[in-house]
Every structure is written in structure tokens, then in C-alpha cells.
Amino acid sequence: MKQTNYHLFDFMDFDPSLGKEEWLWKAYAPSRIEEHEGDILIHLPFQRQKRAEDMSPDMSCPQQTHVLILRAYTPDILRLFITMTGDVMTESDDMLQMKVHRIPLHLEGTDILDADGKLRARINLTAPVLDSWSDLLPPPQPAPAITFYPDGDPHKPIMLSDDHFSPPRYDALPVGFVTTDDQQGDAERATVSLCCTPEECFVGTGERFRKMDLSGQTFQLKNQDGQGVNNRRCYKNIPFYLSSRMYGAFLHTSDYCKLSLADHSTRSVQWLCDRATLDLFLIGGSTPEEILRGYRMLTGFPSMPPRWSFGIWMSRMTYFSAEEVEGICDRLRAEHYPCDVIHLDTGWFRQDWLCEWKFNPERFPDPEGFIRRLSQQGFKVSLWQLPYVAKGAEQLDEAREHHYISQLLKEQAGEGSNFSALDYAGTIDFTYPEATAWYQSLLRQLLEMGVKCIKTDFGENIHLDAIYHGMSAKQLNNLYALLYQRAAYEVTKEVTGDGIVWARAAWAGCQRYPLHWGGDSASSWDGMAGSLKGGLHLGLSGFAFWSHDVPGFHSLPDFMNSPVDERVYVRWTQFGVFTSHIRYHGTHKREPWHYPAIAPIVKRWWQLRYRLLPYILQQSEQACESGLPLLQALLIRHPHDRQCWHIDSEYYFGHDFLVCPVMSDDDKRDIYLPEGSWVNFFTGERLEGGRWYYGVETPLDQMPVYVRPGTTIPIYPDEVQSTDDMDMSRTTEIEITESYQGFKL
């Protein structure tokens, strides 16, 4: 749609010609406020608006009243719920786990207090002050003037926004909804808006491949194949943001949404939900970690991945035979490259991409023996698959007969891979328990052979012109990733004892089923930078664990066939070592010996990864119990440092390492060190923070990584081939003392 500069068209998605039968309804000031079983019920009258680009009330139509429910929880959470569709507020569903407790609210006049006497909301029923002298413009329409204090801090008000230039010319509505005919028909979509301040910053919203501060942008929260990491498409949309005013907002829905972060108006944050129900959690806290922990208390905490998963993963798109894989594994061991996982991508089936959950009998004639031999060398096997059943798959007739896959209303091509010509006949219907059990039975056969991890690829898109058992396709599309990954995670945990998947798509709650990776980045400097941006925003959206394809997924300029730039390979390796998980994968050769000039550097960094595993495991366990990710944007630790709300090229790796990846050919980068003293982990150089260091030169075999004086880093003392060789009782420590001279690779 072309921009019109009218809120009705540009944000509310009305037809600019006003040719559709749709009507906007605006919330007015409350008509009644009451207590009910610990909740506060605010009765909001809604007035229909005339069908015109400028808003004015249609007084020929009677008002509708809908109830806004306020409910409080510990710690520091306030819930706003209103429905125009008859939906019921729930405290348990696929997204919600609710590790919180309700706190009763009560009224004192127009103040809403909790059981501890903290102010949680205030309703202003006072008429605005006027000094009338002109009737050039109509008077403003009434509006609900409600201020929320999710953590009871009176200095952090969050107000509904009735944002307009003049009474007819609105930029945001406090609460509103749309009906679709002239007789007060079915409600179709709804909006809620909150006031924001001129300097307010916003982060999160999923794996957003954008700069750190997202203010001034509008996002469609609709999962789709990202096709890289440098555009507005997104594999992982999460309806949650974190504000620099120290609150978070989570819209509990799986419907398609739109989120404007001070974009359509710099005075307002605006949500638009395709369903006319709004279920908004406002999460307070004094630090970003407290707010993120509150979000996890609503949607679930990450589980701890197995130790072996923190080692090196080796893959490419793709290996085609047991002989090829065993040759690579033998060479990794012979040349002393430590490695834990070998991943088989699309080529282990009888036909590349034709996912039937069975090994090709000619190229993998003895899969059990193949997996056993690799296990004896310390390798775990990971397998690729996807959640669509292709035409030609041996399971197709069974899946159709028992309705394990979506029932297409018409033939739909595609819905599968960007690289495959296969047509997919349907999407596995995880809203149907029998289909979930059937899918898990397919995975169980592989896991019982000894496979350790399933790559739950795709899942961002589903067949939309189709019937599913549990909900409409549009409601399912975003939620699908969670149902899909949960099914694979649970059967993997049941059979192997290890809770893990390797997933690309995500929605709210998916952080419970680690781990996720960043998708199909270009093997380039901008691909590396885009990947890091996405990972930092995902960590600000409730996820603890995240990875990326080292050294980028696809080649340039030839997508499949161009060799990887050696400098990109090294720099991306260094970045990967300081990421929660590290996997080599892509469309061209990824094994380091194909790049002999840099292979010795790569091997030293792989060895460093295993030396750091005691630290990584320690930090990972802490992340599973807190609100922290492994890759932490600087703002998590320095929320009052304005610089940090704009820095997306460096990060904390756990509590102690400040990591500054080099992402350019010239071996230089600018570095910001927060206030305090710092020590270069590799050189021992001492620097003072609270300032920028420009053009810092770093040789190719080094990367700027800083720690605080007095820090103690647990480390493994020996070189190993895999985590199978590690005896964690042998862990030692590095102390960053006055005499520390740096860690030598």
C-alpha cells in the first residue's frame, strides 16, 4: 500500500478508497469502574466513526461497551485484556506457562492499588480544561485517560495514547476496533496505543535484523522465510519489546500483528492485531534482566542443552553418503580438530530434499552401524528434515488418509524450500494430537538408531489455504513453530535424555525448546553484522541460546558455488567461538582444510572453544534461571548508558567477556568500552572505559575481547578431541590479576 499519511489507511489497514464495508470504533472515557474477584473491570464505551479519512463520530449509530480487565501478578506485571469477539482470558495455553501469582487489586476512588498498597493504575475522569474562543474545529472526542504502573513505580507512568493533531486527524487510538458491515457486525481487528517519550528506545521483537534502537520503525509480526539476515523479513517474530523506560510489553496472541515503535507517530507505540482481542502484559522492573525474567515467567524459561551441544558442529549443504561423512570425521580426528557433532543436511534421503525420515539405503546402507562408528569417535549425529510432506513421499497417502497433514482447499505450489523444485502436498498438523504422535513416531525410529538431534528447519510458513484441526491457518502460522519444535524436542528428550532441537523459526514460548539459529546469512561482512544484530535482538526477546552458520550460509556472487573469503571465515569463526553454540554450515565447502592458508588459525580458535567450555556451561546454567541470554547486548548491563542503546556490533558473552568481533577487511574496528577498567583478554593491555577507541587494529589471528580486572574465568586445561574426553573436575581458573599478561592462543 502506498503511504497516505492518514492513520486510518497507513496503520489501521483500511482501503484508501473506503470501498470496503468496514467501520472504525474508538474508545471513550470509562462509563463504569468496578472490582470483581481481585480484578478491576473498566467499562469502555466505543463510538463508531464515520467512513472518512478524517475521524468524526457517527452519532447515528449507538455505542457499544466492552470491558477492559486489569489483573496484576508478581513480579511486577499488569495485564490488560479486552475482547470484542467473546474470547475468554486464559492463564494456560501453548504460549503461556505463568510462573507468576495473581495479586488482588482494589479501588480507592480512581486509583487502582494492589494488596501491598502499591499504585498499579490511575484513571483520570476529569474533563480537560478548555478556554473556548473558536468553533473552527470540532471538540475532541472523549478518550480513556488511564495510566499504568506495572511495578508500582510512580516515576514510570505508561499511559494510553489518544494521539492527534486536531480532533479529526488522529495518529493513534488508545483502544479501537474494526467491524465489517453497516449493522455493528463482526469485529475484525483491534488496536491499543501507549504514549512514548522523545528519547525512548526500543529493542527486541524477535530476531530483528536491524540496528539496536528500533524506534521509528513499524514491523509486521508475521513469520516468513527471512531469505537472509539483511532485510525486513523475519524467521522469528516475537510480540514483545523492551523499552529504555524500563518496562516490557508482551501482546499475548498468535494472530498477525503490526507494531509501530514511535513510527506512525513519535508520540506513540501502537499495536494492531488481526483479531479483535487485545491481551497485553506490561512488565516492570528496575533492570532489563528483571523485565526479561518477568517475560520468561509468563512464557517459559529455556532448558539447559546437553554438554556436547556446546562443542563444534560440522556441516555443509549437504553430505551425500556415509563414506563421505566418515572421511570427514576421520580427517577431523587425524588432524586434531576438536569436534562433537556431524550434521547431515538435505542429502541423506533417497532423493535430495525429499523428506521421508529414512536413510537412503544405497548411500547409507547400514545407518545404525554408521551412527555407532561415529559415536565411538566422539561424534553425535544431527539430521535435517522439515514439517511438510512432499508429493512423492512414501508417507503421503497415510498422511492424507488420517488427516495428519493440512487439507488443502486448492492446489498450492511451493511452501517448501527456496532451493527445491519439490511440491509439498501439506503441512503436518500439530494442532491434531494424532498427527503429532505420528510425526514423533517417525523421529523416534531415527533417535533410537542413535541420532542425537533433529534440525527442525522451516516452519515459518505453512499452507494457508488449508484446513487444520485446532485453529484457522492464519492463527496457526505464527504459533506453528512452537508446536513443531515442542513435538521434536519432547520425543528427543524422551528417547535420548537430551532436550535439544536445531530450529530456525520462532514465536513467543519457543525459548523453552533450544536451540535456534539465525538462518540463511550471506557469507560476507554484512551477513556477519546482520546475524549479530538478529542474535542480540533475539536475546532481548526471551531467548538464552542462539547460533548462526559459520562462516555464513550462502556464497557470493554465486549462491551455491563461490568459495568463502578466507578473512570472513576466520573472523566469523572468532565470533562463533564466543556464541552459545557454533556450527559450520553452508552451500560450499566448510571444512577448514579447504582453506589451508588460514586452517592453523582456525584450529587454534576451535581449541580455545573447548578450553572455554567450563565458563560457557556455567553461564548457560545461569541463563536458564534468569532473564539473561548468553549473548547480551551492552544495554542489559548498562541501561543508563545512552550509548549502549545504540551499539549492536559488540556484546557481553556471559557475565565476564566483552566481545568486539572484527567485521571488515582492514582488520580495524571502533570499540566502545563502558565505564570502568578493562583488560584485553588476549594481550593483557589495560584500558579505561567510558569512551570510544577508534580504528583499533587487530591482526587476523586475534579478536578484541575484554574482561574486568579481578575476574576469574574457569577454563579446561587440556586439549581434547570432543566433550567425551573432558573431565570437568580438572577445570582450572584464570585470574585477571595485576600481573596478567594475556591468554595465548
Side-chain angles (χ1 to χ4, degrees):
M1 181 185 293
K2 294 181 179 179
Q3 181 171 306
T4 68
N5 292 320
Y6 284 92
H7 177 259
L8 191 68
F9 307 134
D10 293 346
F11 188 73
M12 293 299 298
D13 290 341
F14 271 67
D15 176 9
S17 72
L18 295 172
K20 294 173 61 178
E21 285 288 329
E22 52 186 355
W23 301 81
L24 178 65
W25 296 73
K26 180 184 183 297
Y28 276 16
S31 59
R32 184 156 57 102
I33 311 164
E34 58 182 327
E35 298 179 19
H36 179 71
E37 297 180 350
D39 294 335
I40 302 299
L41 309 185
I42 304 172
H43 296 253
L44 295 180
F46 287 80
Q47 182 64 57
R48 197 174 80 173
Q49 304 295 301
K50 293 178 180 178
R51 296 178 70 239
E53 57 190 22
D54 282 335
M55 287 176 54
S56 61
D58 181 359
M59 303 309 293
S60 69
C61 183
Q63 291 183 347
Q64 293 184 18
T65 296
H66 299 281
V67 177
L68 174 64
I69 303 173
L70 296 190
R71 181 173 291 177
Y73 303 89
T74 58
D76 299 334
I77 296 172
L78 194 63
R79 185 177 191 177
L80 290 59
F81 180 90
I82 188 168
T83 181
M84 300 81 181
T85 63
D87 291 338
V88 176
M89 186 193 301
T90 179
E91 304 227 336
S92 177
D93 64 11
D94 293 311
M95 285 172 278
L96 294 179
Q97 288 205 335
M98 301 297 283
K99 307 289 188 184
V100 295
H101 303 286
R102 284 183 62 181
I103 300 176
L105 297 172
H106 66 276
L107 281 168
E108 289 190 8
T110 55
D111 286 352
I112 299 169
L113 286 73
D114 63 23
D116 295 325
K118 288 197 299 185
L119 179 67
R120 305 299 286 271
R122 174 171 287 155
I123 302 172
N124 184 359
L125 297 178
T126 305
V129 176
L130 298 177
D131 182 10
S132 298
W133 68 276
S134 172
D135 59 2
L136 176 66
L137 290 171
Q141 297 187 55
I146 308 176
T147 304
F148 309 103
Y149 305 91
D151 55 9
D153 185 344
H155 303 293
K156 292 164 51 180
I158 304 168
M159 301 173 60
L160 289 180
S161 175
D162 189 52
D163 185 351
H164 57 275
F165 165 67
S166 62
R169 193 65 58 87
Y170 275 81
D171 289 320
L173 300 179
V175 185
F177 66 95
V178 177
T179 55
T180 54
D181 65 32
D182 192 26
Q183 302 299 320
Q184 301 190 38
D186 292 338
E188 182 183 77
R189 56 192 184 273
T191 185
V192 61
S193 304
L194 304 171
C195 294
C196 63
T197 61
E199 295 182 343
E200 191 168 353
C201 299
F202 304 93
V203 296
T205 79
E207 189 183 40
R208 196 64 59 190
F209 306 123
R210 285 289 184 268
K211 293 184 180 295
M212 183 53 61
D213 177 18
L214 300 176
S215 62
Q217 301 187 63
T218 296
F219 302 108
Q220 302 285 342
L221 301 185
K222 176 183 178 181
N223 280 358
Q224 56 189 306
D225 188 334
Q227 298 178 21
V229 298
N230 298 97
N231 58 66
R232 64 173 57 195
R233 295 181 293 267
C234 192
Y235 306 101
K236 306 174 187 68
N237 287 279
I238 308 298
F240 169 85
Y241 68 79
L242 174 66
S243 164
S244 60
R245 289 201 293 133
M246 286 302 102
Y247 81 92
F250 166 50
L251 186 64
H252 169 226
T253 185
S254 67
D255 289 280
Y256 297 153
C257 306
K258 185 188 290 187
L259 173 59
S260 170
L261 297 169
D263 180 15
H264 286 264
S265 168
T266 60
R267 295 178 292 210
S268 302
V269 175
Q270 304 178 60
W271 295 92
L272 178 66
C273 181
D274 268 9
R275 186 173 181 84
T277 293
L278 298 166
D279 191 8
L280 183 65
F281 290 85
L282 300 177
I283 307 167
S286 59
T287 66
E289 190 274 332
E290 289 181 3
I291 295 165
L292 290 168
R293 186 168 68 247
Y295 171 74
R296 287 182 181 174
M297 292 181 78
L298 295 173
T299 60
F301 285 79
S303 61
M304 180 68 178
R307 185 171 75 181
W308 56 261
S309 72
F310 294 91
I312 304 289
W313 298 49
M314 177 52 65
S315 172
R316 73 164 87 152
M317 196 183 102
T318 179
Y319 302 133
F320 285 104
S321 70
E323 181 180 7
E324 180 185 17
V325 172
E326 289 180 324
I328 289 167
C329 291
D330 287 344
R331 186 163 182 179
L332 286 167
R333 291 293 180 254
E335 298 187 14
H336 302 290
Y337 287 96
C339 182
D340 266 82
V341 186
I342 191 79
H343 172 72
L344 279 62
D345 218 59
T346 64
W348 61 281
F349 309 116
R350 63 181 171 94
Q351 177 185 333
D352 192 15
W353 286 97
L354 181 58
C355 176
E356 296 176 307
W357 297 276
K358 290 186 176 181
F359 282 92
N360 181 304
E362 295 180 357
R363 293 185 276 112
F364 294 88
D366 177 17
E368 292 92 339
F370 163 71
I371 295 168
R372 184 175 59 254
R373 289 191 296 275
L374 294 181
S375 177
Q376 291 168 350
Q377 290 182 280
F379 290 102
K380 279 68 178 175
V381 173
S382 167
L383 294 179
W384 177 92
Q385 49 84 83
L386 43 61
Y388 318 112
V389 178
K391 293 179 179 178
E394 70 172 60
Q395 296 93 351
L396 179 58
D397 290 342
E398 177 189 12
R400 278 178 166 164
E401 178 184 353
H402 296 284
H403 301 304
Y404 296 151
I405 58 175
S406 54
Q407 302 170 60
L408 303 189
L409 299 176
K410 64 180 181 181
E411 286 296 310
Q412 301 172 64
E415 304 295 348
S417 163
N418 296 319
F419 318 113
S420 168
L422 290 175
D423 190 13
Y424 290 88
T427 302
I428 298 174
D429 185 359
F430 292 108
T431 71
Y432 183 36
E434 291 185 24
T436 301
W438 172 76
Y439 168 75
Q440 290 178 323
S441 71
L442 298 172
L443 300 190
R444 185 175 286 107
Q445 297 176 42
L446 300 166
L447 296 164
E448 289 176 347
M449 288 183 186
V451 171
K452 291 293 187 181
C453 181
I454 300 297
K455 180 178 174 179
T456 47
D457 204 357
F458 295 91
E460 311 89 1
N461 301 319
I462 64 174
H463 288 84
L464 288 174
D465 199 353
I467 296 173
Y468 296 84
H469 284 76
M471 62 186 70
S472 70
K474 285 188 175 181
Q475 281 187 296
L476 177 60
N477 188 77
N478 285 332
L479 186 64
Y480 188 83
L482 187 149
L483 305 183
Y484 169 34
Q485 291 160 24
R486 181 173 66 191
Y489 176 95
E490 288 179 347
V491 71
T492 302
K493 178 81 170 176
E494 172 197 330
V495 176
T496 71
D498 292 332
I500 188 171
V501 292
W502 188 275
R504 190 172 74 173
W507 189 251
C510 280
Q511 73 274 3
R512 304 193 297 259
Y513 311 112
L515 58 106
H516 295 77
W517 100 101
D520 298 341
S521 53
S523 183
S524 62
W525 299 118
D526 52 24
M528 185 177 170
S531 294
L532 178 53
K533 287 178 170 68
L536 293 179
H537 278 295
L538 192 67
L540 292 161
S541 305
F543 288 71
F545 304 105
W546 172 82
S547 187
H548 42 89
D549 288 342
V550 182
F553 174 71
H554 71 87
S555 300
L556 291 170
D558 187 307
F559 191 97
M560 297 295 295
N561 301 306
S562 293
V564 176
D565 179 276
E566 291 183 347
R567 302 186 75 82
V568 171
Y569 192 112
V570 171
R571 293 304 191 189
W572 210 313
T573 290
Q574 295 165 346
F575 169 36
V577 166
F578 285 87
T579 305
S580 82
H581 290 76
I582 174 170
R583 183 184 75 157
Y584 287 75
H585 183 65
T587 59
H588 201 267
K589 298 171 182 176
R590 290 296 184 265
E591 300 77 26
W593 49 80
H594 295 294
Y595 307 90
I598 59 168
I601 298 175
V602 171
K603 183 184 293 186
R604 290 197 295 273
W605 281 86
W606 285 24
Q607 291 166 344
L608 173 65
R609 172 71 182 191
Y610 283 79
R611 300 287 301 276
L612 292 175
L613 279 184
Y615 171 82
I616 296 170
L617 293 169
Q618 174 197 77
Q619 298 298 309
S620 296
E621 289 170 352
Q622 293 176 10
C624 291
E625 299 172 355
S626 66
L628 295 172
L630 261 290
L631 270 72
Q632 301 170 19
L634 267 59
L635 66 90
I636 290 179
R637 302 277 291 281
H638 307 283
H640 302 298
D641 185 336
R642 290 189 180 183
Q643 298 264 15
C644 293
W645 286 87
H646 301 275
I647 294 175
D648 51 33
S649 64
E650 52 187 86
Y651 59 93
Y652 283 99
F653 183 52
H655 183 269
D656 295 317
F657 288 114
L658 176 60
V659 182
C660 307
V662 177
M663 295 184 282
S664 65
D665 271 323
D666 62 3
D667 294 335
K668 295 180 181 179
R669 65 156 294 155
D670 299 339
I671 293 172
Y672 180 73
L673 295 180
E675 190 174 1
S677 299
W678 294 93
V679 179
N680 186 308
F681 181 68
F682 293 110
T683 69
E685 179 186 16
R686 282 160 169 75
L687 298 169
E688 286 302 311
R691 57 160 293 187
W692 284 93
Y693 292 84
Y694 295 102
V696 177
E697 295 191 22
T698 307
L700 184 61
D701 62 349
Q702 296 288 327
M703 179 173 67
V705 176
Y706 299 92
V707 290
R708 296 284 194 182
T711 299
T712 299
I713 306 291
I715 199 162
Y716 199 75
D718 307 319
E719 291 185 9
V720 296
Q721 296 279 51
S722 74
T723 56
D724 285 357
D725 299 339
M726 300 181 77
D727 173 4
M728 289 302 178
S729 67
R730 290 181 48 75
T731 297
T732 59
E733 294 179 338
I734 293 176
E735 296 183 12
I736 312 302
T737 62
E738 289 292 329
S739 60
Y740 180 74
Q741 298 297 311
F743 185 89
K744 307 307 178 191
L745 285 169

